[in-house]
Amino acid sequence: MAQKPSIPKGTRDFSPIEVAKRNYIFSTIKSNFEKFGFQPIETPSFENSETLMGKYGEEGDRLIFKILNSGDYLAKTNESYLTNKDSLKLTAQISEKALRYDLTVPFARYVVQHQNEIEFPFKRYQIQPVWRADRPQKGRFREFYQCDADVVGSNSLWQEVELVQLYDSVFSELGLKGVTIKINNRKILSGIAEVIGASDKLIDFTVALDKLDKIGEDGVKKEMLEKGISEEAIAKVQPLFNFTGTISEKIEKLATLLSASQEGMKGVEELQFICDNVMEIGLQTANLDLDVTLARGLNYYTGAIFEVAAPAGVAMGSIGGGGRYDDLTGIFGLKNMSGVGISFGLDRIALVIEELKLFPETVTATSKAMFLNFGNEEAKYAMKAISKLRQHGVKVEMYPDAAKIGKQFQHADKRGIPFAILVGEEEMKNHEFAIKNLATGNQEKVSLDVLLEQLK
Amino acid sequence: MAQKPSIPKGTRDFSPIEVAKRNYIFSTIKSNFEKFGFQPIETPSFENSETLMGKYGEEGDRLIFKILNSGDYLAKTNESYLTNKDSLKLTAQISEKALRYDLTVPFARYVVQHQNEIEFPFKRYQIQPVWRADRPQKGRFREFYQCDADVVGSNSLWQEVELVQLYDSVFSELGLKGVTIKINNRKILSGIAEVIGASDKLIDFTVALDKLDKIGEDGVKKEMLEKGISEEAIAKVQPLFNFTGTISEKIEKLATLLSASQEGMKGVEELQFICDNVMEIGLQTANLDLDVTLARGLNYYTGAIFEVAAPAGVAMGSIGGGGRYDDLTGIFGLKNMSGVGISFGLDRIALVIEELKLFPETVTATSKAMFLNFGNEEAKYAMKAISKLRQHGVKVEMYPDAAKIGKQFQHADKRGIPFAILVGEEEMKNHEFAIKNLATGNQEKVSLDVLLEQLK
């Protein structure tokens, strides 16, 4: 009869300590979002299918989880789809809703739907789970949280400046010193392609260039050649294969390289504004770097592109990313709404903090003290004290049964509860409480007021 | 081209102020859960279908949202189900996963799956959304949060005592004074049915009795007769139709009425222990009442049954409920695990707090101050100050564009931001900031340190 319990692949249960650690990261991100003036919104877990489908490319459509219509969902379906077992065509007839794939498209939908209630520019943050029917692998899940902050309705480059500071502020507060915030600009990439006369091959070019770290200069050049980019064109961008120096030096090189491209020079100008101001205002612990191979989100970003790398020495992909997209809401009919935003990769950040042992000791899901249970009379006395302690905010509990004392101590120990409180006949008579430090074994008798002071 | 954006019926978008209000309730509940020694867990949004199906009755099965398998989901389906358009039978072949319907079954699954890692008794809380394909109506949604606290692995009635205190603590802290925590016991209900000789009609009996408030004594009796409960049997429970007095008096009446029923007397004994201790330890603002018509969750509760009613004068159904179930985990193969828990109805609590205007003024999603933008030089100066203010935890922002000043003031006003900060040429020269109280119109010039003090 009994089922062996399990959960779907790619999903996770989180134990109390795991929840506590994740909440520590969430609340750090959240408090920084709010310090920077972002306001929270939440959208439904599932959207109408037409809101999501077609927004993430063919591959994305495939990875969206679809929800089966309720009731007799086959009643009005096309017979030929059924007899031909045409899964793809049937889907639209038996499924009207789909689980959120990211937070950006629901945000765009939200902005358009509520445009008359929103005061623009609108700085919103959103921390909610998303779902993808991806093949699960290490660090990649089918359910995971996204933490996004976006501004919509202003072209000001001060947003980009602030978003870099926001990254710095969050990672500094998490104790994750030395992350590198990489910045690039879509217009730089377009400019490069334009200069080399391969505008139509921009995606091929940037995808190849993005692999510089992985397959090296020769590998990238080989791939570019295979994709039909000429040797001559590649020669023109030779400086990009050894693109070092300070940000100012790099920007200078780009200004030379792209002098013939109007769009490229616009990108240079934007980068310069952002980088100059970031450097002048100063960062707490993060490094800023201009990375011309950075080409993430190429299909939708139109200006700045961001990506954050974990501190040197930690083998981990990017722990955050973002950029500017000039037409965030056009797909839902609202034109000329520029957006810019960043995202934090919670799961990877948690892994990095764990690896570097940066979780504070105060991150725990455990009570401060446990009262032992010596029977109903003692328990009643204890409960009155517990009630008062809790009203003062102390996390405290009582062992529910009058079990053997050894078993009760063991419970407190296994739970990582630091103090045990003992109340027997004598303590009740003297209005006292014996508090035992379970780490040191020290025990003393104190009044309720002193107990409260010690546990607060 | 453009789609008119909308969301699925029964779901909701939450605006910044709505999120802030909900988070205020969530965090009050959460901090009380932790004060009472409960630890957080989280489970996946979707479970394997076999984990959920068959656990909530036929109606429940129908209301569970099923997720369509990915890829060519029709490939291996039974042809006859397709040609017969047999939606019910096909479902099991094209859907392996389903959205969580409540938090109790996933919790039972979690306990069994992780039994070797859990230190029992296990006090867990869980605050996550659930989904039901119910017909949406006022106050009933297809996606809503549940806030559950349960203890598993102990029969101690002290848990019930503490759960009543937990309700009192949460509602007192929310300023919701005068809620009524109704308590009953499944064994009392069984005992009553036993005494009147209608054990096989227990559900009919309690469903009818539960309607006493709505259809009156005559209506209930009529329904009981229609369900085949004899006049003689009904006469035996006549005291229940006018069941008033203090809790002690009510318990005394029950002890007389149920003296012949062993199970009923066990229920009386349990009620007495819980109520006596709750009253002796004391409640802050809530009332405790013994309500013998309370029969919620009859199918699974085996001991105490709880329900919380909003303060008198507020027309609202129950805002919380719970009870004890002796065999929480048996369905997943782990026997003898008694559980007891309570739940908070977030949406209704929010409505009540809104109606009574009990949300504190500090519940806001807005920045404390907005710096006006007079151009890039001034903005840079402002950003340095903003950076410092944020490092001290102040929620502050800058208007991103050097727009007309009237427009900027209007933005701060519409957003409900209390202070505007002005930095022009003169302020820069004197290292000062003009801070304007947007409610009073008062304006003064201060140093950065004083500004920090005022905004902190």
Side-chain angles (χ1 to χ4, degrees):
Chain A
M1 277 301 290
Q3 301 167 353
K4 184 169 178 283
S6 67
I7 52 177
K9 63 179 176 182
T11 68
R12 292 166 288 174
D13 281 329
F14 295 104
S15 69
I17 185 62
E18 288 167 337
V19 173
K21 285 176 174 175
R22 289 163 62 88
N23 281 349
Y24 161 72
I25 300 172
F26 282 134
S27 73
T28 305
I29 293 173
K30 192 183 145 180
S31 69
N32 276 284
F33 282 171
E34 296 191 351
K35 276 193 286 189
F36 278 73
F38 290 87
Q39 300 185 292
I41 69 161
E42 290 180 9
T43 62
S45 296
F46 47 73
E47 296 270 351
N48 292 321
S49 295
E50 65 261 29
T51 300
L52 305 184
M53 298 297 283
K55 308 300 190 297
Y56 306 101
E58 212 172 296
E59 170 75 352
D61 279 357
R62 219 174 45 74
L63 298 183
I64 290 172
F65 278 112
K66 286 101 187 166
I67 294 174
L68 196 57
N69 292 346
S70 301
D72 188 9
Y73 57 88
L74 287 177
K76 292 181 183 168
T77 50
N78 189 318
E79 322 257 313
S80 72
Y81 297 166
L82 293 173
T83 48
N84 297 333
K85 290 196 169 185
D86 191 334
S87 297
L88 202 62
K89 285 191 175 145
L90 188 67
T91 300
Q93 298 200 328
I94 64 173
S95 163
E96 291 170 349
K97 293 181 286 287
L99 289 174
R100 189 164 56 209
Y101 180 85
D102 73 357
L103 301 179
T104 305
V105 168
F107 173 51
R109 193 266 311 145
Y110 178 99
V111 168
V112 177
Q113 191 174 332
H114 302 278
Q115 55 185 288
N116 296 325
E117 307 140 41
I118 295 171
E119 170 62 23
F120 294 99
F122 181 42
K123 300 175 80 168
R124 92 82 172 80
Y125 76 84
Q126 197 168 352
I127 300 179
Q128 292 192 280
V130 303
W131 296 268
R132 296 183 184 180
D134 236 329
R135 189 189 304 269
Q137 50 181 255
K138 194 171 168 3
R140 189 199 285 168
F141 304 98
R142 292 187 152 187
E143 173 176 46
F144 59 97
Y145 269 79
Q146 289 196 332
C147 313
D148 285 15
D150 295 81
V151 195
V152 66
S154 162
N155 294 309
S156 167
L157 291 172
W158 283 109
Q159 326 268 26
E160 278 84 341
V161 173
E162 288 199 80
L163 290 171
V164 172
Q165 293 179 309
L166 177 53
Y167 267 138
D168 174 53
S169 187
V170 167
F171 289 117
S172 296
E173 201 171 315
L174 288 172
L176 211 54
K177 294 172 187 169
V179 303
T180 297
I181 303 164
K182 301 184 209 168
I183 184 170
N184 196 12
N185 194 299
R186 163 64 197 253
K187 298 185 180 84
I188 297 280
L189 292 166
S190 304
I192 290 170
E194 193 183 321
V195 165
I196 63 177
S199 284
D200 58 327
K201 294 198 159 35
L202 176 59
I203 292 180
D204 290 337
F205 178 85
T206 52
V207 166
L209 190 60
D210 194 26
K211 295 180 184 166
L212 193 57
D213 280 355
K214 288 175 200 149
I215 59 175
E217 183 172 338
D218 289 348
V220 171
K221 284 182 175 168
K222 185 161 166 277
E223 182 170 325
M224 287 178 172
L225 287 168
E226 281 166 11
K227 294 288 181 182
I229 298 167
S230 71
E231 286 215 36
E232 192 194 352
I234 296 170
K236 283 192 186 160
V237 297
Q238 185 56 42
L240 294 182
F241 290 95
N242 184 22
F243 194 64
T244 54
T246 65
I247 293 180
S248 301
E249 286 163 2
K250 286 180 178 177
I251 290 177
E252 217 166 296
K253 282 184 198 175
L254 285 176
T256 310
L257 192 68
L258 303 178
S259 57
S261 160
Q262 202 181 344
E263 188 170 8
M265 290 310 286
K266 183 83 175 64
V268 169
E269 194 186 306
E270 290 183 10
L271 266 182
Q272 182 127 34
F273 181 91
I274 298 163
C275 295
D276 280 359
N277 280 297
V278 166
M279 299 320 284
E280 188 167 340
I281 297 163
L283 295 175
Q284 295 176 64
T285 66
N287 308 306
L288 182 68
D289 191 25
L290 168 50
D291 182 352
V292 80
T293 74
L294 185 61
R296 59 180 287 147
L298 192 67
N299 291 324
Y300 41 97
Y301 291 139
T302 52
I305 304 172
F306 301 111
E307 190 169 281
V308 183
V314 180
M316 182 66 66
S318 72
I319 55 176
R324 181 176 285 273
Y325 29 96
D326 274 343
D327 188 22
L328 173 64
T329 55
I331 200 147
F332 297 113
L334 183 63
K335 301 286 177 197
N336 299 318
M337 272 285 174
S338 183
V340 58
I342 59 174
S343 189
F344 289 80
L346 175 87
D347 290 306
R348 288 180 172 181
I349 292 171
L351 287 172
V352 172
I353 292 182
E354 192 71 70
E355 183 177 333
L356 298 177
K357 301 192 199 316
L358 293 175
F359 281 112
E361 273 187 38
T362 48
V363 173
T364 159
T366 281
S367 294
K368 195 73 187 283
M370 186 187 90
F371 279 67
L372 271 62
N373 188 331
F374 291 92
N376 279 342
E377 277 315 300
E378 292 85 351
K380 198 186 299 182
Y381 181 88
M383 281 306 306
K384 287 180 190 170
I386 287 170
S387 189
K388 181 170 172 187
L389 292 169
R390 285 173 178 161
Q391 283 175 38
H392 285 84
V394 180
K395 288 156 73 170
V396 58
E397 61 190 272
M398 180 179 77
Y399 194 83
D401 302 282
K404 285 188 182 156
I405 296 310
K407 188 180 174 186
Q408 296 192 41
F409 271 121
Q410 200 179 36
H411 181 76
D413 192 49
K414 282 192 178 162
R415 294 266 315 283
I417 297 173
F419 294 100
I421 319 284
L422 295 78
V423 186
E425 219 171 298
E426 200 188 314
E427 285 84 6
M428 285 169 66
K429 203 174 62 193
N430 299 330
H431 298 287
E432 283 182 336
F433 300 82
I435 175 168
K436 179 168 185 158
N437 182 320
L438 294 176
T440 65
N442 284 349
Q443 185 171 325
E444 55 172 332
K445 291 192 181 179
V446 297
S447 68
L448 183 54
D449 286 339
V450 174
L451 188 65
L452 174 60
E453 275 317 303
Q454 291 197 4
L455 295 177
K456 243 175 128 170
Chain B
M1 277 301 290
Q3 302 166 353
K4 184 168 177 282
S6 66
I7 53 177
K9 63 179 175 180
T11 68
R12 292 166 287 174
D13 282 329
F14 295 104
S15 69
I17 184 62
E18 288 167 336
V19 174
K21 286 176 174 176
R22 289 163 62 87
N23 281 347
Y24 161 70
I25 300 172
F26 281 134
S27 73
T28 304
I29 294 173
K30 191 182 146 181
S31 71
N32 276 285
F33 282 170
E34 296 191 351
K35 276 194 284 188
F36 278 72
F38 290 87
Q39 300 184 293
I41 69 161
E42 290 180 10
T43 62
S45 295
F46 47 72
E47 297 270 351
N48 293 320
S49 295
E50 64 262 29
T51 300
L52 304 185
M53 298 297 281
K55 308 301 190 296
Y56 307 100
E58 213 171 294
E59 169 75 352
D61 279 359
R62 220 174 44 75
L63 299 183
I64 291 172
F65 279 113
K66 287 100 187 166
I67 294 173
L68 196 58
N69 291 344
S70 302
D72 188 8
Y73 56 89
L74 287 177
K76 291 180 183 167
T77 49
N78 188 319
E79 323 256 312
S80 72
Y81 298 166
L82 294 173
T83 46
N84 298 335
K85 289 197 169 184
D86 190 334
S87 296
L88 202 62
K89 286 192 174 145
L90 187 68
T91 301
Q93 298 200 330
I94 64 173
S95 163
E96 291 170 350
K97 293 181 286 288
L99 289 175
R100 191 164 52 209
Y101 179 86
D102 74 358
L103 301 179
T104 306
V105 168
F107 173 50
R109 194 267 310 146
Y110 178 97
V111 168
V112 177
Q113 191 174 333
H114 301 280
Q115 56 184 288
N116 296 324
E117 306 140 40
I118 294 172
E119 170 62 22
F120 293 99
F122 182 42
K123 300 174 80 169
R124 90 85 172 78
Y125 76 83
Q126 197 168 351
I127 300 178
Q128 291 194 280
V130 302
W131 297 268
R132 297 184 183 178
D134 237 329
R135 188 191 304 269
Q137 50 181 257
K138 193 169 171 2
R140 189 199 284 168
F141 304 98
R142 292 188 152 186
E143 174 176 46
F144 59 98
Y145 268 80
Q146 289 195 333
C147 313
D148 285 14
D150 295 81
V151 195
V152 66
S154 162
N155 293 309
S156 166
L157 292 173
W158 283 109
Q159 325 270 25
E160 277 84 342
V161 173
E162 288 199 79
L163 290 172
V164 173
Q165 293 181 310
L166 176 52
Y167 267 138
D168 175 52
S169 187
V170 167
F171 290 118
S172 296
E173 200 170 316
L174 287 172
L176 213 53
K177 293 172 188 171
V179 304
T180 297
I181 303 164
K182 300 184 209 166
I183 184 168
N184 195 12
N185 195 299
R186 163 62 197 254
K187 296 186 181 83
I188 297 279
L189 292 167
S190 305
I192 290 170
E194 194 183 320
V195 164
I196 62 175
S199 286
D200 59 325
K201 295 199 158 36
L202 176 60
I203 291 180
D204 289 338
F205 178 86
T206 52
V207 166
L209 191 59
D210 195 27
K211 295 181 185 167
L212 192 56
D213 280 357
K214 289 174 201 148
I215 60 175
E217 184 173 335
D218 290 348
V220 170
K221 283 182 178 170
K222 183 159 168 277
E223 183 171 323
M224 286 180 174
L225 286 168
E226 281 167 11
K227 294 288 183 183
I229 298 168
S230 70
E231 287 214 37
E232 190 197 350
I234 296 170
K236 283 191 186 161
V237 296
Q238 185 56 42
L240 295 181
F241 288 95
N242 185 21
F243 195 64
T244 54
T246 65
I247 292 179
S248 301
E249 287 162 0
K250 285 182 179 176
I251 290 178
E252 217 165 296
K253 282 184 199 175
L254 286 176
T256 309
L257 192 70
L258 303 178
S259 58
S261 161
Q262 202 183 340
E263 189 170 9
M265 289 310 286
K266 184 83 176 64
V268 169
E269 194 186 305
E270 290 183 11
L271 266 181
Q272 182 127 36
F273 181 92
I274 298 163
C275 295
D276 281 358
N277 280 297
V278 166
M279 299 320 284
E280 188 168 338
I281 297 163
L283 295 175
Q284 295 176 62
T285 66
N287 309 306
L288 182 67
D289 191 26
L290 168 50
D291 182 353
V292 80
T293 72
L294 186 62
R296 62 180 286 147
L298 193 67
N299 290 324
Y300 43 97
Y301 290 140
T302 52
I305 305 172
F306 301 111
E307 191 169 279
V308 183
V314 181
M316 181 66 66
S318 73
I319 56 177
R324 180 175 286 272
Y325 29 95
D326 274 344
D327 188 22
L328 173 64
T329 55
I331 201 147
F332 297 114
L334 185 62
K335 300 288 176 195
N336 299 319
M337 271 284 176
S338 184
V340 59
I342 58 174
S343 189
F344 289 80
L346 176 87
D347 290 306
R348 288 182 172 180
I349 293 171
L351 287 172
V352 173
I353 294 181
E354 191 71 70
E355 183 177 333
L356 299 177
K357 301 192 197 316
L358 293 174
F359 280 112
E361 272 187 37
T362 48
V363 172
T364 160
T366 281
S367 294
K368 194 74 187 280
M370 188 186 89
F371 279 69
L372 271 62
N373 188 330
F374 292 91
N376 279 341
E377 276 317 300
E378 292 85 351
K380 197 186 298 183
Y381 180 87
M383 280 306 305
K384 287 180 188 169
I386 286 170
S387 190
K388 182 170 171 187
L389 291 169
R390 285 174 178 161
Q391 282 174 41
H392 285 84
V394 179
K395 288 156 75 170
V396 58
E397 61 190 272
M398 180 178 78
Y399 194 84
D401 302 283
K404 284 186 181 157
I405 295 311
K407 187 179 174 186
Q408 297 191 42
F409 271 122
Q410 200 178 39
H411 181 76
D413 191 48
K414 282 192 178 164
R415 292 268 314 284
I417 296 173
F419 295 99
I421 319 284
L422 296 77
V423 185
E425 218 171 298
E426 200 187 316
E427 285 83 7
M428 285 168 66
K429 204 174 63 193
N430 301 329
H431 300 286
E432 283 181 336
F433 300 83
I435 175 169
K436 179 168 186 158
N437 182 322
L438 293 177
T440 64
N442 284 350
Q443 184 169 327
E444 57 173 330
K445 290 192 181 179
V446 297
S447 69
L448 183 53
D449 286 338
V450 173
L451 187 65
L452 175 60
E453 276 316 303
Q454 292 197 2
L455 295 178
K456 243 172 129 168

